[in-house]
Amino acid sequence: MSDEHEKLTWSGFGDAIDGLARQVVASGFEPDLILSVARGGLALGMGLGYALDVKNLSAVNVEFYTGVDTRLPVPIMLPPTPDVVALDGLRILIADDIADTGLTLQHVQEFCADHVAEARIATVYEKARSVVKPDYCWKQTDAWIDFPWSSREPLVSRAR
């Protein structure tokens, strides 16, 4: 991992939503549902929902990162998970903040694969090492990203 950091501001995040939404519209893809990957993709899914006039939003919670550049051996989907029957035949847009290793996105793709008509991915950032290439990406970088929602230390620490 690069020691370089890139700082995304809330204003920059608004620009990212606008840029990603314009890419989706230009491609002609009309999602029936936006599936946000929690936690990092929640704000992106909401923003894209408004920009693309998609009211059908859902989330899947995948735990992988445990700290700065530290992760579990494999991504783990946490309950509650969306009912895959409810995804049958839908065109979905998977929204996440970053395609870093891409393993989280790959896990979500595999979860949806046999149920959806089509799934595309939108991320704010993409790293070259990602095993999944997003269909829509605002920016490529290999720097560590300081996102506005996770750049401060938590006010409390929840023991696990």
Side-chain angles (χ1 to χ4, degrees):
M1 182 181 90
S2 167
D3 288 337
E4 180 186 351
H5 281 240
E6 178 160 337
K7 182 178 175 110
L8 180 65
T9 64
W10 284 110
S11 176
F13 181 59
D15 294 340
I17 291 171
D18 182 66
L20 287 166
R22 289 178 186 281
Q23 288 179 41
V24 173
V25 169
S27 76
F29 184 62
E30 295 182 14
D32 300 306
L33 175 131
I34 296 175
L35 181 64
S36 299
V37 180
R39 294 180 298 187
L42 290 172
L44 179 60
M46 178 194 63
L48 289 173
Y50 275 99
L52 298 172
D53 196 25
V54 176
K55 293 182 179 182
N56 194 5
L57 306 177
S58 189
V60 62
N61 195 355
V62 181
E63 185 175 21
F64 190 39
Y65 278 84
T66 57
V68 174
D69 206 32
T70 59
R71 359 177 144 65
L72 298 172
V74 295
I76 298 171
M77 196 166 291
L78 302 173
T81 56
D83 183 359
V84 289
V85 172
L87 301 176
D88 276 348
L90 297 181
R91 294 177 314 265
I92 67 166
L93 182 61
I94 300 168
D96 204 359
D97 54 356
I98 187 167
D100 187 343
T101 65
L103 295 175
T104 296
L105 288 166
Q106 184 177 56
H107 193 65
V108 175
Q109 275 184 318
E110 290 169 359
F111 173 77
C112 298
D114 294 333
H115 304 283
V116 302
E118 184 176 2
R120 295 190 187 181
I121 296 172
T123 62
V124 178
Y125 289 98
E126 173 191 4
K127 293 192 178 181
R129 69 181 179 182
S130 178
V131 297
V132 171
K133 299 300 176 199
D135 300 281
Y136 313 103
C137 175
W138 182 62
K139 192 172 184 184
Q140 281 114 7
T141 185
D142 285 320
W144 181 262
I145 311 301
D146 294 321
F147 291 100
W149 49 85
S150 62
S151 59
R152 296 182 183 181
E153 289 297 318
L155 298 177
V156 296
S157 178
R158 309 242 183 241
R160 294 188 184 211

